[in-house]
Amino acid sequence: MFEIIEKEVLAPAIKLFKVSAPEIAVKAQPGQFIILRMDEKGERIPLTIADFDRDKGLLTLIFQEVGRSTKEIGQLNQGDSILDLVGPLGKPSEIEKFGRVICVGGGVGVAPIYPITRAMKQAGNEVISIIGARNGDSLILEQEMKEVSNELYVVTDDGSVGMKGFVTTKLLEILGEGKPDLVVAIGPLVMMQAVSELTRPYQIKTVVSLNSIMVDGTGMCGACRVPVGQKTKFACVDGPEFDGHQVDWAIAAMRARMFTDEEKTAMDEYHHHAGGECQCRKAK
């Protein structure tokens, strides 16, 4: 059992847990993920590690409540425990002194881009960060990103905080001022695809992180497979980071929608239970 030491609500439907997991925290690297199962009936879900404290043995997990499983996990509180936490999984980010690096985080993707940004700056890079959200209320980790970046730009769809527009709007402006050595982008598929298409004509190396549907996280089930450079890759063991110019975004998007009907059914059941008619999956 993995105890929740701290819980924080970062934004509507976005929760932060600091979980006691010393054996994972001591080995975790930027870019890696864990697979979590709340209880014996829980779904296995992948979450990218947002931070780690090796001395205290803590993992920081940040997630958005978008389906039944994440909503149920979000009901847990400080002092509660998670049944299973497996990791660290996946290949760590490639961290070295590239030169000028642009880190782009969209929505809850700001969480996994944070430890990568910090590591890039510690490696001696000039780090320019762009973080975006729908509005100011859903923006997360602004201060944390500012502390680990040479420059930070904030973009919101409605302009309530920072610049009005999308992260690609600001990225295009920065690219006009000079070509960086690397772009790292994490966020919704459509955002990562847009960033990759924007950098392609400039021939800028662009790394994205695919948080695909996963089951076992060890490459055995094949659920997270995606074509990258005309080869089939598994996000769990070959990634989760890939060359954004090589990802087959159409197939990645199709696979992300595979269980839409099942997810809707699960959410309908969750709302039915939450309404008080049934408490068979009430969080302990």
Side-chain angles (χ1 to χ4, degrees), residues 29-269:
Q29 299 288 341
Q32 292 186 299
F33 66 96
I34 55 92
I35 284 187
L36 175 156
R37 188 170 67 130
M38 187 179 82
D39 55 31
E40 290 184 353
K41 295 183 179 179
E43 177 186 11
R44 294 165 60 89
I45 61 170
L47 293 176
T48 309
I49 297 169
D51 204 356
F52 43 85
D53 187 323
R54 305 194 197 284
D55 295 331
K56 295 181 180 179
L58 298 179
L59 283 183
T60 299
L61 305 175
I62 297 175
F63 61 94
Q64 185 170 10
E65 297 176 354
V66 293
R68 175 171 178 166
S69 294
T70 46
K71 283 186 176 294
E72 288 180 332
I73 294 167
Q75 297 304 307
L76 297 176
N77 292 302
Q78 181 178 331
D80 290 336
S81 293
I82 295 165
L83 178 62
D84 292 329
L85 205 64
V86 180
L89 300 171
K91 293 182 178 179
S93 302
E94 182 183 352
I95 305 295
E96 60 180 76
K97 189 172 181 180
F98 294 97
R100 189 166 178 250
V101 178
I102 300 178
C103 294
V104 186
V108 74
V110 177
I113 204 75
Y114 167 68
I116 296 171
T117 305
R118 179 178 59 192
M120 286 293 186
K121 192 167 188 294
Q122 289 173 345
N125 293 287
E126 177 194 353
V127 180
I128 301 170
S129 297
I130 308 170
I131 60 174
R134 291 190 303 273
N135 50 54
D137 290 338
S138 56
L139 186 70
I140 64 170
L141 304 183
E142 179 181 0
Q143 184 58 38
E144 288 84 351
M145 286 294 292
K146 184 176 181 180
E147 291 173 359
V148 298
S149 307
N150 294 93
E151 297 176 53
L152 173 66
Y153 297 97
V154 177
V155 181
T156 50
D157 295 359
D158 63 358
S160 54
V161 176
M163 173 182 176
K164 182 176 181 178
F166 303 111
V167 292
T168 48
T169 310
K170 188 62 188 181
L171 177 59
L172 183 60
E173 181 181 314
I174 295 173
L175 294 181
E177 299 170 356
K179 181 178 174 180
D181 299 286
L182 176 70
V183 171
V184 183
I186 305 181
L189 281 176
V190 65
M191 185 218 86
M192 293 189 291
Q193 180 181 6
V195 168
S196 300
E197 295 304 329
L198 188 61
T199 59
R200 189 189 301 275
Y202 294 88
Q203 297 183 326
I204 301 166
K205 181 179 179 180
T206 301
V207 175
V208 298
S209 180
L210 301 182
N211 192 355
S212 307
I213 294 170
M214 296 183 188
V215 179
D216 69 286
T218 63
M220 296 181 66
C221 72
C224 65
R225 63 187 182 275
V226 63
V228 180
Q230 298 182 338
K231 293 183 179 179
T232 298
K233 299 288 186 178
F234 294 156
C236 63
V237 291
D238 297 318
E241 295 181 359
F242 296 101
D243 181 340
H245 298 154
Q246 297 294 317
V247 172
D248 188 321
W249 292 104
I251 291 181
M254 180 188 70
R255 294 190 65 80
R257 297 191 298 266
M258 282 181 62
F259 299 104
T260 301
D261 291 342
E262 290 83 355
E263 290 167 355
K264 182 180 183 303
T265 299
M267 278 302 297
D268 289 343
E269 291 177 355

